[in-house]
Coordinates of all heavy atoms in Angstrom, one line a residue:
A121 N 10.1 -2.8 -18.8 CA 11.2 -2.6 -19.7 C 12.4 -3.4 -19.3 O 13.2 -4.0 -20.1 CB 11.6 -1.1 -19.8
Y122 N 12.7 -3.5 -18.0 CA 13.8 -4.3 -17.4 C 13.6 -5.8 -17.7 O 14.5 -6.4 -18.2 CB 13.8 -4.1 -15.9 CG 14.7 -5.0 -15.1 CD1 16.1 -5.0 -15.3 CD2 14.2 -6.0 -14.3 CE1 16.9 -5.8 -14.6 CE2 15.0 -6.9 -13.7 CZ 16.3 -6.8 -13.8 OH 17.1 -7.7 -13.1
L123 N 12.4 -6.3 -17.5 CA 12.1 -7.7 -17.8 C 12.2 -8.0 -19.3 O 12.7 -9.0 -19.7 CB 10.7 -8.1 -17.3 CG 10.6 -8.1 -15.8 CD1 9.2 -8.4 -15.4 CD2 11.5 -9.2 -15.2
E124 N 11.9 -7.0 -20.2 CA 12.0 -7.2 -21.6 C 13.5 -7.3 -22.0 O 13.9 -8.1 -22.8 CB 11.3 -6.1 -22.4 CG 9.8 -6.2 -22.4 CD 9.1 -5.0 -22.9 OE1 9.8 -4.0 -23.3 OE2 7.9 -5.0 -23.0
S125 N 14.3 -6.5 -21.3 CA 15.8 -6.5 -21.5 C 16.3 -7.9 -21.1 O 17.2 -8.4 -21.7 CB 16.5 -5.4 -20.7 OG 16.0 -4.1 -21.1
V126 N 15.9 -8.3 -19.9 CA 16.3 -9.7 -19.4 C 16.0 -10.7 -20.4 O 16.8 -11.6 -20.7 CB 15.7 -10.0 -18.0 CG1 15.9 -11.4 -17.6 CG2 16.2 -9.0 -17.0
E127 N 14.8 -10.7 -21.0 CA 14.3 -11.6 -22.0 C 15.2 -11.6 -23.2 O 15.6 -12.7 -23.7 CB 12.9 -11.3 -22.4 CG 11.8 -11.7 -21.4 CD 11.6 -13.2 -21.3 OE1 11.2 -13.8 -22.3 OE2 11.9 -13.7 -20.2
T128 N 15.5 -10.4 -23.7 CA 16.4 -10.3 -24.8 C 17.8 -10.9 -24.6 O 18.3 -11.6 -25.4 CB 16.6 -8.8 -25.2 OG1 15.3 -8.2 -25.5 CG2 17.4 -8.6 -26.4
L129 N 18.3 -10.6 -23.4 CA 19.7 -11.1 -23.1 C 19.6 -12.7 -22.9 O 20.5 -13.4 -23.4 CB 20.2 -10.5 -21.8 CG 20.6 -9.0 -21.8 CD1 20.8 -8.5 -20.5 CD2 21.8 -8.9 -22.7
R130 N 18.5 -13.1 -22.3 CA 18.3 -14.6 -22.1 C 18.3 -15.3 -23.5 O 18.9 -16.3 -23.7 CB 17.1 -14.8 -21.3 CG 16.8 -16.3 -21.0 CD 15.7 -16.4 -20.0 NE 14.4 -16.0 -20.5 CZ 13.5 -16.7 -21.0 NH1 13.7 -18.0 -21.1 NH2 12.4 -16.2 -21.5
Y131 N 17.5 -14.7 -24.4 CA 17.4 -15.3 -25.8 C 18.8 -15.3 -26.5 O 19.1 -16.2 -27.2 CB 16.3 -14.7 -26.6 CG 14.9 -14.9 -26.1 CD1 14.0 -13.9 -26.1 CD2 14.6 -16.1 -25.6 CE1 12.7 -14.1 -25.6 CE2 13.3 -16.4 -25.2 CZ 12.4 -15.4 -25.1 OH 11.1 -15.6 -24.7
T132 N 19.5 -14.2 -26.2 CA 20.9 -14.1 -26.8 C 21.8 -15.3 -26.3 O 22.5 -15.9 -27.0 CB 21.5 -12.8 -26.5 OG1 20.6 -11.7 -26.9 CG2 22.9 -12.6 -27.1
V133 N 21.7 -15.5 -25.0 CA 22.5 -16.6 -24.4 C 22.0 -18.0 -24.9 O 22.9 -18.8 -25.3 CB 22.3 -16.6 -22.8 CG1 22.9 -17.9 -22.2 CG2 22.9 -15.4 -22.2
E134 N 20.7 -18.2 -25.0 CA 20.2 -19.4 -25.5 C 20.6 -19.6 -27.0 O 20.8 -20.8 -27.5 CB 18.7 -19.6 -25.3 CG 18.4 -19.7 -23.8 CD 17.0 -20.0 -23.6 OE1 16.1 -19.9 -24.5 OE2 16.6 -20.4 -22.4

Side-chain angles (χ1 to χ4, degrees):
Y122 168 71
L123 290 175
E124 286 171 356
S125 300
V126 170
E127 286 286 297
T128 302
L129 290 170
R130 182 169 65 97
Y131 292 139
T132 303
V133 169
E134 290 187 351

